[in-house]
Amino acid sequence: MSDPDTPAGAREVLGADDISRALTRIAHEILEHNKGADGLVVLGIPTRGLPLAQRLAERLAAVEPGFDPATQLGTLDITMHRDDLHRAPVRPIGATHVPDDGIDDRTVVLVDDVLYSGRTIRAALDALSDVGRPRAVRLAVLVDRGHRELPIRADHVGKNLPTASSERVQVMLTETDGRDAVLISGGEA
Amino acid sequence: MEHLLSAGDLSRTDAVRILDTAAELAATQGREIKKLPTLRGRTVVNLFFEDSTRTRISFETAAKRLSADVINFAAKGSSVSKGESLKDTALTLQAMGADAVVIRHHASGAPHLLASSGWLQAAVVNAGDGTHQHPTQALLDAYTLRRHLVGPQPLGQDLAGLRVAIVGDVLHSRVARSNVDLLHTLGARVTLVAPPTLLPVGVETWPCEVSYHLDEVLAQGLDAVMMLRVQRERMSSAGGGFFPSPLEYSRRYGLDARRLAALPSHAVVLHPGPMNRGLEISATAADSSRSVIVEQVANGVAVRMAVLYLLLAGGRREDVS
């Protein structure tokens, strides 16, 4: 169980295999709910939503050959719509890439790593309305750790992780952090 | 970054960060809905002691696209023409709650005075002061050069190795000063080309080369040539007698069809505007496919959005622990 790469005081709650299985299940759920890949657009939210959206798109294409990552996968930067810009030093702006055909009347699946306060998703919904008017917006997250501050919920969840707000949930992905894992640390120290 | 007063104050990292931010913001400007909510509730004052419609509407557009409130304060017909001092104007703006002041002033150093005096807490952006600096013009020129000449992935890149000639009235040009500073910081090699009468004293200490002969510089192979505006009134003896006649100036220093053809095929032509067609630039050159002069205007809005974003979006230092 204990991984030599896990920092002291941190506990691994999902390993690489767990993450992989969760993404495969989410891909199937999305296709089942959408009744195929028609009209689907998957948008990752930087930073770690991008590799997750990429992996999800690969699985969608594997299950449903009609899904084309070139026209149905993109990224949505939310920096300019955040409600906490004034509380932190200025943040760099990320890239937004929306498929050329746009998102009007499509079903958009937003992908992020951790759902916590819900404020990131609030900002994402605002950013999305600047880009177009989707038929429906759905939310897929790897981890839902609770403690919502806004009336927002996820449609597809990799793992529900009850946490204390003093705890820290860290998602690590091969593309950004060198390995796949979800760690939890802090709490009743 | 607290103020933007001079292109010479920017480090390479600062400058590349502004250009990268501008690139992401420019991408949002192709959308049907161009307005972003980022600076909602912030107030930007355009304080213009000199007329400059182009620069003012560029800043105004940039601030409005970021949802800031914009107040245009033109000196003409205002309290300033009744003799109000810069200090009292600044105190008035402070009392009105300005978060940023974009200042254009005929006196070199006025923006620095405004930023360092303690009269107001707003971020100060220099939109051109005397013959000193016009940093956002240099940033939009650098952004335009990077977009055309550094590829295929310009994000994070500087202008290392590019050869740029700046041609014309360097003596009176804050655009030339700002560009020499910024392009040098970004690694480009700059050559100033002008008649000896239109070069300032001490130009040999600037981080650039200087030539009196445009054709010789063109023959060295340039990546870009930037033409500066020449004012016709400068040729009369009353205006200083800097050059004998418009025709002589345009023969020796104007960008005409022959000189345009001497540029390498990838090279671009820039001009800060407004142009004197037939004087420093011929219509053929201004309207050619090498000319990026109209694009400079659009890039100006993106660059000014980036500057306002970086100055105003984050928390003030005392609020951020």
Side-chain angles (χ1 to χ4, degrees):
Chain A
M1 267 304 278
S2 84
D3 188 300
D5 294 339
T6 304
R11 185 158 53 85
E12 182 173 309
V13 286
L14 291 182
D17 292 344
D18 301 316
I19 291 175
S20 172
R21 276 193 291 271
L23 288 172
T24 304
R25 174 172 54 74
I26 290 174
H28 282 281
E29 283 179 13
I30 290 171
L31 289 171
E32 186 181 8
H33 187 273
N34 195 57
K35 299 186 173 65
D38 268 6
L40 212 54
V41 173
V42 177
L43 297 180
I45 298 172
T47 311
R48 288 184 182 75
L50 300 189
L52 287 174
Q54 177 75 43
R55 293 185 195 185
L56 209 49
E58 284 163 14
R59 284 167 168 79
L60 290 169
V63 180
E64 197 81 25
F67 183 87
D68 176 13
T71 60
Q72 294 181 279
L73 174 65
T75 65
L76 184 70
D77 182 67
I78 60 143
T79 312
M80 305 299 280
H81 295 80
R82 297 186 72 105
D83 61 4
D84 60 353
L85 282 172
H86 298 346
R87 296 179 172 216
V90 67
R91 294 165 185 269
I93 303 175
T96 292
H97 294 295
V98 172
D100 290 342
D101 296 341
I103 58 166
D104 285 0
D105 301 318
R106 308 285 198 90
T107 297
V108 171
V109 180
L110 294 174
V111 182
D112 203 0
D113 54 351
V114 179
L115 179 57
Y116 184 27
S117 66
R119 289 177 190 269
T120 300
I121 304 306
R122 197 280 310 158
L125 291 171
D126 284 353
L128 207 55
S129 68
D130 279 1
V131 180
R133 184 180 184 281
R135 190 174 62 78
V137 183
R138 303 182 66 75
L139 175 61
V141 295
L142 184 59
V143 173
D144 181 350
R145 62 166 294 191
H147 303 285
R148 215 75 75 235
E149 294 166 7
L150 295 169
I152 280 171
R153 61 158 176 75
D155 301 284
H156 310 288
V157 180
K159 170 89 172 165
N160 278 301
L161 207 58
T163 57
S165 46
S166 58
E167 285 173 318
R168 179 163 180 262
V169 174
Q170 188 186 6
V171 171
M172 303 176 81
L173 297 172
T174 313
E175 295 90 331
T176 49
D177 312 281
R179 72 177 178 117
D180 280 2
V182 176
L183 307 180
I184 188 163
S185 57
E188 65 282 60
Chain B
M1 201 163 75
E2 203 180 344
H3 305 288
L4 179 62
L5 302 177
S6 163
D9 295 343
L10 296 171
S11 67
R12 181 191 169 280
T13 313
D14 291 336
V16 169
R17 187 158 69 123
I18 296 172
L19 301 187
D20 288 351
T21 305
E24 300 297 355
L25 288 168
T28 68
Q29 298 303 297
R31 296 180 188 162
E32 201 174 314
I33 299 170
K34 299 180 179 65
K35 207 176 178 79
L36 295 161
T38 316
L39 296 184
R40 205 159 56 91
R42 300 286 173 128
T43 302
V44 176
V45 176
N46 287 326
L47 181 59
F48 276 56
F49 291 88
E50 267 182 0
D51 291 333
S52 173
T53 310
R54 291 166 152 261
T55 305
R56 202 209 70 219
I57 62 175
S58 182
F59 269 108
E60 184 171 352
T61 308
K64 285 181 170 171
R65 295 271 164 87
L66 290 169
S67 300
D69 293 321
V70 180
I71 296 169
N72 287 312
F73 188 111
K76 264 186 195 164
S78 74
S79 45
V80 173
S81 62
K82 296 174 189 161
E84 188 177 71
S85 67
L86 183 61
K87 176 176 179 175
D88 289 323
T89 307
L91 292 174
T92 306
L93 298 179
Q94 171 67 19
M96 285 177 184
D99 295 296
V101 176
V102 176
I103 177 172
R104 159 71 63 105
H105 202 285
H106 42 78
S108 301
H112 182 267
L113 181 63
L114 204 57
S116 58
S117 59
W119 296 331
L120 79 177
Q121 280 156 10
V124 176
V125 181
N126 182 356
D129 59 333
T131 56
H132 176 225
Q133 280 278 335
H134 191 0
T136 56
Q137 177 70 43
L139 285 162
L140 80 88
D141 290 335
Y143 178 81
T144 308
L145 291 172
R146 194 177 77 160
R147 231 181 73 79
H148 284 273
L149 301 172
V150 178
Q153 179 45 275
L155 280 185
Q157 305 282 315
D158 59 16
L159 304 176
L162 291 186
R163 298 214 43 159
V164 182
I166 301 177
V167 186
D169 183 358
V170 175
L171 178 61
H172 300 97
S173 176
R174 50 195 171 213
V175 175
R177 277 171 184 72
S178 306
N179 264 302
V180 167
D181 286 344
L182 184 69
L183 298 184
H184 175 258
T185 301
L186 289 170
R189 287 180 60 194
V190 180
T191 306
L192 294 173
V193 185
T197 51
L198 288 175
L199 285 166
V201 174
V203 71
E204 64 280 356
T205 64
W206 295 12
C208 62
E209 291 155 42
V210 178
S211 169
Y212 304 145
H213 305 288
L214 180 54
D215 288 314
E216 284 176 15
V217 174
L218 286 176
Q220 293 166 10
L222 294 170
D223 297 297
V225 56
M226 186 182 298
M227 307 307 296
L228 300 172
R229 177 178 162 78
V230 171
Q231 284 166 319
R232 283 172 196 274
E233 57 271 23
R234 299 222 193 278
M235 68 175 180
S236 68
S237 54
F242 291 103
F243 54 94
S245 79
L247 187 62
E248 179 168 343
Y249 181 85
S250 107
R251 281 227 183 108
R252 298 200 54 177
Y253 296 101
L255 188 67
D256 55 17
R258 181 182 60 81
R259 291 192 173 118
L260 186 70
L263 287 169
S265 58
H266 69 276
V268 292
V269 175
L270 294 91
H271 191 298
M275 288 184 278
N276 290 307
R277 285 172 182 252
L279 184 51
E280 73 267 7
I281 188 165
S282 73
T284 317
D287 300 330
S288 81
S289 57
R290 310 273 189 80
S291 157
V292 293
I293 296 167
V294 177
E295 189 199 308
Q296 284 175 272
V297 178
N299 293 343
V301 174
V303 161
R304 289 172 179 126
M305 285 174 77
V307 168
L308 291 174
Y309 172 76
L310 293 170
L311 287 175
L312 294 181
R316 296 197 155 253
R317 275 169 312 167
E318 58 268 32
D319 303 338
V320 179
S321 52

